[in-house]
Amino acid sequence: MRKRSVGINVRVSVTEKRKMTLMAKRCGLSLSEYLRQRALGYEPGGHPPKEVFDVLDKLDDIAERCSAWDETDIIAQTDRMRDLLIGSN
């Protein structure tokens, strides 16, 4: 059985709904989950686009193909780029 059984209806303009839907998509959430989190005081984080992960995969591939004497420096550089793209953990 679903825990969430009570609905809340809110009227918004078409523009507002588009903006909310876009923000939810950027966070990788459904519109309902995005609105639920925002209403409960959470600030959902953004979800990087697929292209960011494609770039990271390519950077890893480049680092693996470099000669051994450059590997440490190149890995350090790719780690810095990764941090710039998606932030450090």
Side-chain angles (χ1 to χ4, degrees), residues 21-81:
T21 302
L22 177 63
M23 297 301 293
K25 185 176 180 179
R26 286 182 181 166
C27 294
L29 300 172
S30 68
L31 179 57
S32 293
E33 184 60 25
Y34 177 80
L35 294 174
R36 187 178 301 109
Q37 287 188 21
R38 294 297 294 155
L40 294 173
Y42 301 111
E43 292 191 33
H47 185 71
K50 178 188 175 300
E51 292 79 13
V52 170
F53 296 101
D54 292 342
V55 168
L56 293 173
D57 288 341
K58 190 64 174 173
L59 288 172
D60 288 340
D61 186 47
I62 290 168
E64 289 173 10
R65 293 174 187 262
C66 292
S67 64
W69 63 271
D70 285 333
E71 187 173 355
T72 303
D73 291 333
I74 300 221
I75 289 172
Q77 290 295 331
T78 58
D79 287 344
R80 281 188 212 117
M81 285 185 253

Side-chain angles (χ1 to χ4, degrees), residues 11-21:
R11 295 275 182 208
V12 295
S13 70
V14 172
T15 303
E16 290 170 330
K17 183 176 180 186
R18 281 188 193 132
K19 184 174 181 180
M20 287 184 255
T21 302

